[in-house]
Amino acid sequence: MRYIFYVLPLLLALGLASADPKITLHGMVKSDERIRSHGYPAETHEVVTEDGYVLTLFRIPYSHKLNNKAQKRQPVLLQHGLFSNSDCWLCSGPDNSLAYLLADAGYDVWLGNARGNIYSRANELISLNSPKFWHFDWHEIGTIDIAAMIDYILDETQYKQLHYAGHSQGTTVYLVLLSERPEYNEKIKSGHLLAPCAFFEHGKSAIFRWLGPLVGTPGGVWNQLLVDTELIPYNNIVNRLADNGCGSGSPYDSICKNGFLMFANGGYENINLTSMQAMIETHPAGSSSNQGIHYLQLYASHEFRQYDWGSKKNRELYGQDLPPDYDLSKITANTHSYSSQNDALCGPQDVDTLVSQFVHLTEDHRVPWSSFNHLDFIVAKNMKELVNDLIVERINSYEGR
């Protein structure tokens, strides 16, 4: 069953390639290469987690536009969403992407990559081909990966705190870390949650309707088939074919954008197609099936809680029949939320629930643009004015600027 995830995208990509003889394969452009192509310096760092995963961090230490190389610069960590990677913070270029805007504002910018995506596909203890490699979800990404990234960055930069910004799953893991390991609140100078995802009772995406009944509750056949596998597996040939078939100037770009928007919904009104095509080069980036299953469990339960393994295993792991809720009252770091009306995954009603339980939330900002959707936070043509400029402004305020 798991091989269907390889076969379907492969058939699509091969079909696109065979339909157009002009399509030729070219290599993947990694985050550090993208950064350097715009004149910025770039570094690559590896962080090994306590359970052996090797995570890749990319860094823009300073902006070539500023004379600040010798100065100390406050670090900022940016964390991607589900199926994504560090390239999502770069695909709209220097004039719009948050990573470049923060570098140009004088910050030391770090781009995280969670275990299992194309930049973090190694473990010093477990083979990539073992199901044990994929035995994790966003709970471990939050409590282990993000904690390791923060500690590494603070050690490298000799700062006591950093600023954090995350999109989608990048917000979920922030909430998980600070509620489960509240000592990390002291290491966050400010947090910025783009399209915050914790509650899903009112989710409108077709994904919830199609897959929720299959894997939203534990114990079914589909759970047993899909647990601990790679979800939408990364395959270099498929990605390269899709990149060529969906890249700039391709007659198949409508197929590609429809594939992404089928997941996130919301329409095309704000999408910058050039940014979308740049993102497709390395997306989808790979993740564990458990991450998707866990989100679907939240949709079914209407709660923000840990992974549900069924009552028997829950009692072994948690000492109770149902998994424990994440206690959002433990999050005390200065945190700003940025959400939108047209988000089909983490919509306004569910953000209302999050805000009501997030007792120490600093700001609940709603994007004043009715068509702005989940993906628009990273690929919209108007995201700079509606979101990114606000984030830079908020971070500047914590620095006394």
Side-chain angles (χ1 to χ4, degrees):
M1 178 59 66
R2 63 185 296 185
Y3 295 104
I4 192 171
F5 293 119
Y6 287 101
V7 173
L8 290 180
L10 180 59
L11 290 176
L12 172 62
L14 288 174
L16 296 179
S18 61
D20 191 339
K22 298 190 296 293
I23 291 179
T24 56
L25 295 181
H26 56 78
M28 181 179 79
V29 180
K30 296 183 178 181
S31 290
D32 55 339
E33 298 173 274
R34 293 173 189 267
I35 294 166
R36 292 191 190 98
S37 72
H38 293 293
Y40 294 80
E43 297 175 5
T44 303
H45 296 251
E46 288 188 345
V47 179
V48 181
T49 66
E50 62 190 58
D51 52 352
Y53 287 89
V54 183
L55 312 176
T56 299
L57 296 177
F58 294 102
R59 181 187 189 186
I60 309 177
Y62 59 91
S63 171
H64 64 293
K65 301 176 183 179
L66 306 175
N67 187 25
N68 69 340
K69 180 178 180 180
Q71 300 173 8
K72 282 182 68 66
R73 296 168 300 281
Q74 175 72 44
V76 182
L77 171 60
L78 305 183
Q79 185 61 29
H80 61 79
L82 184 64
F83 306 133
S84 192
N85 60 58
S86 50
D87 294 330
C88 74
W89 302 107
L90 305 168
C91 60
S92 291
D95 294 332
N96 295 290
S97 290
L98 184 58
Y100 298 118
L101 295 175
L102 286 167
D104 289 343
Y107 294 100
D108 181 357
V109 181
W110 296 74
L111 310 177
N113 284 287
R115 61 182 67 191
N117 83 7
I118 59 173
Y119 295 122
S120 299
R121 295 172 64 82
N123 187 300
E124 294 184 340
L125 308 173
I126 309 169
S127 167
L128 175 65
N129 298 319
S130 169
K132 293 181 179 179
F133 182 95
W134 300 103
H135 183 65
F136 65 85
D137 74 284
W138 39 259
H139 178 87
E140 286 74 26
I141 294 174
T143 58
I144 302 176
D145 291 8
I146 303 301
M149 293 180 197
I150 291 173
D151 289 340
Y152 180 88
I153 293 169
L154 295 182
D155 183 64
E156 281 287 309
T157 61
Q158 292 299 294
Y159 274 83
K160 293 182 178 180
Q161 292 181 308
L162 54 71
H163 296 285
Y164 179 99
H167 173 249
S168 189
Q169 182 187 259
T171 72
T172 310
V173 297
Y174 174 91
L175 299 174
V176 168
L177 171 62
L178 298 189
S179 60
E180 289 294 298
R181 303 183 67 178
E183 66 272 18
Y184 275 84
N185 281 282
E186 297 181 356
K187 300 183 181 185
I188 304 295
K189 197 164 190 179
S190 72
H192 303 268
L193 310 185
L194 286 64
C197 293
F199 296 93
F200 295 85
E201 179 180 357
H202 304 95
K204 297 179 180 178
S205 172
I207 296 297
F208 294 125
R209 297 194 301 273
W210 296 342
L211 299 181
L214 298 178
V215 297
T217 54
V221 174
W222 285 98
N223 288 82
Q224 297 175 35
L225 287 172
L226 296 177
V227 72
D228 295 346
T229 62
E230 186 174 10
L231 184 61
I232 310 185
Y234 169 78
N235 182 284
N236 190 54
I237 295 176
V238 171
N239 272 61
R240 300 286 60 73
L241 287 168
D243 174 15
N244 283 269
C246 302
S248 300
S250 168
Y252 311 109
D253 67 301
S254 63
I255 297 175
C256 302
K257 70 182 182 183
N258 280 328
F260 271 87
L261 292 175
M262 179 183 68
F263 167 69
N265 293 96
Y268 310 128
E269 182 173 329
N270 305 302
I271 291 228
N272 183 329
L273 281 179
T274 301
S275 302
M276 173 76 83
Q277 290 162 343
M279 188 172 70
I280 285 171
E281 294 177 9
T282 55
H283 288 69
S287 65
S288 170
S289 58
N290 300 4
Q291 294 167 246
I293 292 172
H294 196 170
Y295 276 128
L296 292 167
Q297 289 181 353
L298 302 188
Y299 172 71
S301 69
H302 303 169
E303 304 291 343
F304 182 43
R305 63 191 190 187
Q306 295 191 37
Y307 197 98
D308 191 346
W309 295 98
S311 57
K312 181 179 179 180
K313 190 170 181 180
N314 286 344
R315 286 192 292 270
E316 295 175 2
L317 294 174
Y318 311 127
Q320 56 190 56
D321 288 347
L322 294 175
D325 293 343
Y326 294 106
D327 186 354
L328 298 176
S329 70
K330 293 183 177 179
I331 304 177
T332 57
N334 298 310
T335 304
H336 301 254
S337 170
Y338 308 79
S339 61
S340 63
Q341 180 69 28
N342 195 34
D343 193 324
L345 292 172
C346 312
Q349 290 175 288
D350 292 320
V351 172
D352 289 342
T353 304
L354 171 62
V355 170
S356 70
Q357 297 192 26
F358 201 150
V359 295
H360 301 295
L361 183 65
T362 303
E363 180 185 13
D364 172 23
H365 178 78
R366 310 291 173 119
V367 175
W369 200 266
S370 61
S371 60
F372 208 79
N373 66 39
H374 194 78
L375 283 180
D376 286 340
F377 284 91
I378 53 173
V379 292
K381 54 194 174 187
N382 51 358
M383 68 179 184
K384 178 181 183 293
E385 295 80 10
L386 293 175
V387 179
N388 290 346
D389 284 347
L390 299 182
I391 296 172
V392 175
E393 178 184 304
R394 305 296 193 268
I395 292 177
N396 282 344
S397 70
Y398 286 99
E399 299 301 319
R401 300 183 185 179

